[in-house]
Amino acid sequence: MPKRYFITTPIYYVNSVPHVGHALTMLVCDVTRRYRKMQGWDVWFLTGTDENAIKVMEAAASSGLPIQQFVDQISTQFRECWRSLNIEYDDFIRTTEARHVGAVQKFFSLLRENGHIYLDKYEGWYDVGAEAFVKESDLIDGKSPDGNEVRRISEENWFFRLSAFEDRLLAHIDNNPTFLLPETRKNEVVSFAKQGLRDMCITRQNPGWGIPVPGDEAKVIYVWFDALINYIAATGWPDPDHFGDLWPADVHWMAKEIFTRFHATLWPAMLMAADLPLPETIIAHGWFTFGDSKMSKSKGNVIEPRQLAGDIGSLTGCSERSAIDTVRFCLAALLPYEGDREFTTEEVLRRYNSDLANDLGNALNRTLAMAHKFVGGAIPPGEAETEVKDFIYNSVLEFEAAMELHRIDSAVEAAISVVRYLNKYIDTQAPWALAKAGDERVFTVLRSMLLALRATEGLIRPIIPWTADEIARQLGLPPLEDWKMIGTEESLPAAVTLGSPQPIFPRYDPKKQMDAATLEPIKNSEKEGEAQTLEAEPEQITIEDFMKVKLRVARILEAEPVEGSSKLVKLQIILGDERRQVLAGIRKSYEPADLVGRQVVVVANLKPATLMGLQSQGMILAADGVDGAAILLAPEEECPEGASVH
Ligand code: MSP
């Protein structure tokens, strides 16, 4: 089997629940996996949980749960969180699994047989927070360099001859420019190694938890030595079959705090000692901070991804999938590649409005609405304009270049640049003016707009796959899953009937609480200026205009208040032989229970809208009463359901 593209995240300690910091690394890998898959690569994405640490044992003790039950529970929470964020990993390894324990013990024995491990006395400090041994000279005011409490240890332990690999490691870094990334962190590793790598204590006295040292069960293997081996344990090492398909890893991703001391020095040295090839690239991003410190459970300043998605849903009224995609989009767009970055809900909502509701939402809405209005609601034949195809082509190249450098944030920019371009293109081409003048070019312009939209669907697919699916659905096309097809005329078959535009990201208005939601469809389709050109409504309308509005009689079957809204009632209505859900802003005037069984008049051909995450498929007519009360309109006598109203 040919070698697979193998990508990994750190395995997370199960003393804490997953937060957006963990989700960041997961997302970077998920985007990479989805992108490479679209390009036809055979990709393998590994993640998991790190369970043998002392801090895990102590967290279990303070939870009062038996330790195995505790680690099972938190490991499951990580998996559930990744599933809800639509993260598709191929393997999830737990360090308490037999396959991992077996590989760690074999690795330890192999190095001991080869003379890379020896017994000695460890006299010094241990930082449980970072699970790291600390030199006396590195203590700052009695604390570890990370600011954690330290414990004194005096034990006989096994040591790994890390010092023996210093020169080879420095030479490897020098000869392989993309081995350690980014450049600034590589430089930190070089100066760290040049100060001299010291042999490392790699066991602890057995506290009743951890992987016992083979033949010396009074000791357990130090959690970092144990955890790093997960990357080969998951390949089936030492069994050459699967190991050969996967190893060496193409990319190990992590954040900066576990780069220099562990992944960029200890791990390569361990692999050299075992005569195994080194990974292609080890790369560390910065931290998401909150206030001025790293977001972490121990500081109690974490944002949990599912909670964040829930908040986005209730603040904006978007669907659950759109809320998840918003989280994904923001994690990718806000990747702190070199430095750190503060992560706030405000910034997420700002991005939501500017990039998703405005740029993407407008492009989708305007393109589909105009295709229906000006070219009959089907994909026009012919070819898109060269200018548009060139822009798409260059954006694809930019996306690819960004991904080569692992810059997910720049890839997001490249994808969004297409919708920004599309919005400008619509402004300058003014298809409404072409249509009014009877200019045939309107077909080419609409085809070009649709091609840009189709390309956007492809480009955003690795980042926000559910949104990409929704765009494909509204285009009436199957998902674009082959990277090579992006921007091609073939990706846009002529004469396909387009769906009707539906807002995916209703605009968030911080001034207007969702509670104040009205039944007006959310206006995110057209800009103000253009809305005037397109929809400069005359004072009076013709009978033909009026006849476009399909008014029908319906009966209310069910009515219930919408949670979190003081105005909205959710109605199930029957309209002829069709059942629909409609939201009505009549809560202040009617008790939901009093509505059931009534006949009402409904605008039956209104575009569906989403309010507070719920679909509304029509509008109930009501007159304005005194003090803004709503008074429902109804036929004077019972009439057949679905009857037309003129
Ligand atoms: N168990 C070790 C890793 C062993 S890998 C062989 C560990 N676990 S951890 O739970 O602390 O996870 C650390 C990783 O989670 C970081 O390296 C990073 O990938 C991610 N992040 C955790 N908090 C983060 C931020 N606040 N910001 C960015 N990434 C964050 O270390």
Side-chain angles (χ1 to χ4, degrees):
M1 188 182 214
K3 165 92 176 62
R4 290 167 161 171
Y5 189 85
F6 183 28
I7 176 161
T8 72
T9 70
I11 48 172
Y12 306 105
Y13 288 128
V14 288
N15 63 332
S16 140
V17 290
H19 58 69
V20 293
H22 303 119
L24 167 69
T25 320
M26 293 303 285
L27 195 87
V28 165
C29 293
D30 188 59
V31 171
T32 309
R33 178 186 183 276
R34 288 174 186 272
Y35 163 69
R36 298 261 171 217
K37 282 223 145 191
M38 283 179 78
Q39 288 190 319
W41 294 49
D42 192 355
V43 194
W44 196 253
F45 167 15
L46 168 72
T47 186
T49 43
D50 189 352
E51 307 184 1
N52 298 320
I54 296 176
K55 64 176 168 185
V56 168
M57 188 181 88
E58 293 183 353
S62 44
S63 78
L65 286 176
I67 184 153
Q68 193 59 51
Q69 195 179 329
F70 177 82
V71 296
D72 287 350
Q73 219 170 58
I74 300 201
S75 182
T76 305
Q77 281 179 29
F78 272 91
R79 263 167 294 165
E80 277 170 358
C81 183
W82 305 150
R83 188 166 353 103
S84 70
L85 290 182
N86 199 10
I87 283 168
E88 288 182 348
Y89 50 79
D90 299 287
D91 192 5
F92 189 99
I93 190 162
R94 299 181 57 187
T95 57
T96 46
E97 276 175 63
R99 62 173 170 155
H100 178 78
V101 174
V104 170
Q105 291 184 324
K106 271 189 207 118
F107 196 95
F108 190 98
S109 304
L110 176 75
L111 265 54
R112 192 169 46 188
E113 279 155 28
N114 295 346
H116 297 302
I117 291 180
Y118 60 92
L119 259 184
D120 202 352
K121 177 141 192 211
Y122 182 80
E123 191 73 63
W125 301 92
Y126 191 78
D127 168 356
V128 176
E131 294 288 358
F133 295 94
V134 183
K135 277 196 286 184
E136 177 94 29
S137 57
D138 286 345
L139 293 183
I140 304 166
D141 297 333
K143 294 199 170 168
S144 78
D146 293 347
N148 298 329
E149 297 295 334
V150 287
R151 297 174 191 179
R152 183 88 194 157
I153 299 180
S154 173
E155 299 170 349
E156 182 195 62
N157 272 317
W158 294 93
F159 283 72
F160 170 53
R161 278 187 216 285
L162 181 57
S163 58
F165 297 95
E166 190 181 305
D167 293 343
R168 267 178 74 187
L169 178 65
L170 283 167
H172 187 85
I173 297 173
D174 210 29
N175 296 332
N176 296 275
T178 55
F179 176 53
L180 301 181
L181 291 175
E183 193 72 18
T184 43
R185 292 197 214 289
K186 180 224 291 236
N187 297 338
E188 283 167 26
V189 174
V190 170
S191 52
F192 175 76
K194 281 189 173 160
Q195 281 166 27
L197 294 177
R198 296 184 328 142
D199 290 354
M200 189 181 248
C201 179
I202 53 160
T203 59
R204 294 290 320 272
Q205 292 310 298
N206 190 342
W209 185 247
I211 302 180
V213 172
D216 186 4
E217 264 106 50
K219 302 183 181 66
V220 290
I221 296 173
Y222 168 48
V223 68
W224 267 103
F225 195 87
D226 146 357
L228 287 163
I229 295 170
N230 91 85
Y231 300 128
I232 54 168
T235 67
W237 180 86
D239 175 351
D241 275 6
H242 301 294
F243 180 68
D245 308 341
L246 289 170
W247 197 258
D250 291 273
V251 189
H252 284 320
W253 261 108
M254 72 217 64
K256 62 182 185 181
E257 79 289 351
I258 57 175
F259 185 68
T260 306
R261 277 178 301 172
F262 301 115
H263 283 83
T265 50
L266 174 61
W267 179 226
M270 286 166 66
L271 289 165
M272 286 174 187
D275 268 330
L276 293 172
L278 302 194
E280 284 298 318
T281 295
I282 308 177
I283 177 166
H285 53 71
W287 287 337
F288 275 153
T289 56
F290 194 86
D292 51 11
S293 58
K294 180 189 175 212
M295 189 180 289
S296 76
K297 183 71 193 297
S298 58
K299 298 205 173 75
N301 61 356
V302 297
I303 299 181
E304 291 178 29
R306 282 178 290 187
Q307 175 71 44
L308 177 62
D311 291 349
I312 294 166
S314 43
L315 285 167
T316 67
C318 73
S319 71
E320 202 181 326
R321 287 187 161 207
S322 297
I324 295 288
D325 270 359
T326 305
V327 174
R328 292 179 58 104
F329 182 86
C330 291
L331 292 174
L334 300 175
L335 168 75
Y337 186 75
E338 300 264 8
D340 297 338
R341 188 196 278 266
E342 182 155 31
F343 188 90
T344 62
T345 310
E346 289 70 35
E347 177 63 7
V348 168
L349 289 168
R350 201 186 63 71
R351 286 282 183 154
Y352 173 94
N353 260 359
S354 66
D355 297 352
L356 298 173
N358 257 3
D359 294 340
L360 180 62
N362 275 342
L364 172 69
N365 234 302
R366 299 168 89 196
T367 302
L368 286 180
M370 290 184 204
H372 281 283
K373 206 157 174 173
F374 306 134
V375 296
I379 298 175
E383 289 204 359
E385 290 201 296
T386 315
E387 179 209 327
V388 176
K389 288 205 272 195
D390 284 352
F391 192 93
I392 296 171
Y393 179 72
N394 285 329
S395 304
V396 172
L397 290 184
E398 271 172 37
F399 193 108
E400 291 170 352
M403 291 304 290
E404 278 315 305
L405 300 172
H406 311 279
R407 294 298 303 253
I408 314 299
D409 51 339
S410 315
V412 171
E413 276 307 306
I416 286 295
S417 75
V418 178
V419 284
R420 293 203 185 112
Y421 168 83
L422 172 53
N423 282 319
K424 279 206 205 94
Y425 177 79
I426 299 173
D427 294 343
T428 53
Q429 299 301 315
W432 51 91
L434 295 173
K436 200 167 173 191
D439 190 333
E440 284 289 300
R441 221 172 71 76
V442 73
F443 289 94
T444 309
V445 169
L446 255 303
R447 181 163 178 89
S448 307
M449 288 159 59
L450 287 162
L451 189 70
L453 198 57
R454 181 67 157 156
T456 304
E457 180 223 316
L459 287 170
I460 61 164
R461 181 166 289 284
I463 306 154
I464 42 176
W466 279 331
T467 303
D469 283 348
E470 181 55 23
I471 294 176
R473 196 189 65 74
Q474 294 193 24
L475 281 169
L477 294 171
L480 191 161
E481 282 167 338
D482 179 351
W483 193 258
K484 291 190 302 299
M485 294 292 283
I486 298 178
T488 62
E489 299 286 358
E490 280 164 273
S491 69
L492 197 68
V496 169
T497 307
L498 297 161
S500 55
Q502 284 163 19
I504 307 177
F505 298 102
R507 223 189 130 67
Y508 165 60
D509 183 351
K511 288 192 262 17
K512 193 166 74 178
Q513 286 303 309
M514 276 320 285
D515 176 321
T518 67
L519 274 186
E520 284 173 45
I522 293 129
K523 286 190 184 120
N524 67 347
S525 56
E526 278 132 0
K527 290 191 195 155
E528 307 261 316
E530 180 193 312
Q532 282 166 13
T533 330
L534 264 177
E535 281 160 23
E537 300 291 357
E539 284 293 300
Q540 293 177 326
I541 60 167
T542 61
I543 184 72
E544 287 76 22
D545 288 331
F546 175 69
M547 294 303 281
K548 283 189 195 152
V549 182
K550 301 285 176 231
L551 297 174
R552 315 261 301 269
V553 172
R555 187 183 302 280
I556 299 175
L557 299 178
E558 291 166 31
E560 56 179 286
V562 170
E563 210 179 308
S565 166
S566 61
K567 289 201 165 177
L568 290 178
V569 181
K570 185 169 85 176
L571 305 171
Q572 306 300 330
I573 59 169
I574 183 125
L575 218 165
D577 47 9
E578 193 192 342
R579 248 182 101 120
R580 289 196 193 182
Q581 172 170 294
V582 172
L583 302 184
I586 54 174
R587 174 96 181 267
K588 292 200 166 132
S589 312
Y590 292 91
E591 267 309 303
D594 297 340
L595 292 166
V596 177
R598 276 177 185 249
Q599 282 201 325
V600 284
V601 179
V602 178
V603 180
N605 60 339
L606 195 66
K607 273 183 220 157
T610 304
L611 295 170
M612 305 205 58
L614 298 168
Q615 263 241 330
S616 184
Q617 304 157 308
M619 182 164 82
I620 308 283
L621 294 190
D624 285 339
V626 192
D627 293 332
I631 302 167
L632 286 174
L633 297 193
E636 202 188 18
E637 287 174 23
E638 281 275 317
C639 54
E641 270 128 34
S644 294
V645 178
H646 308 279

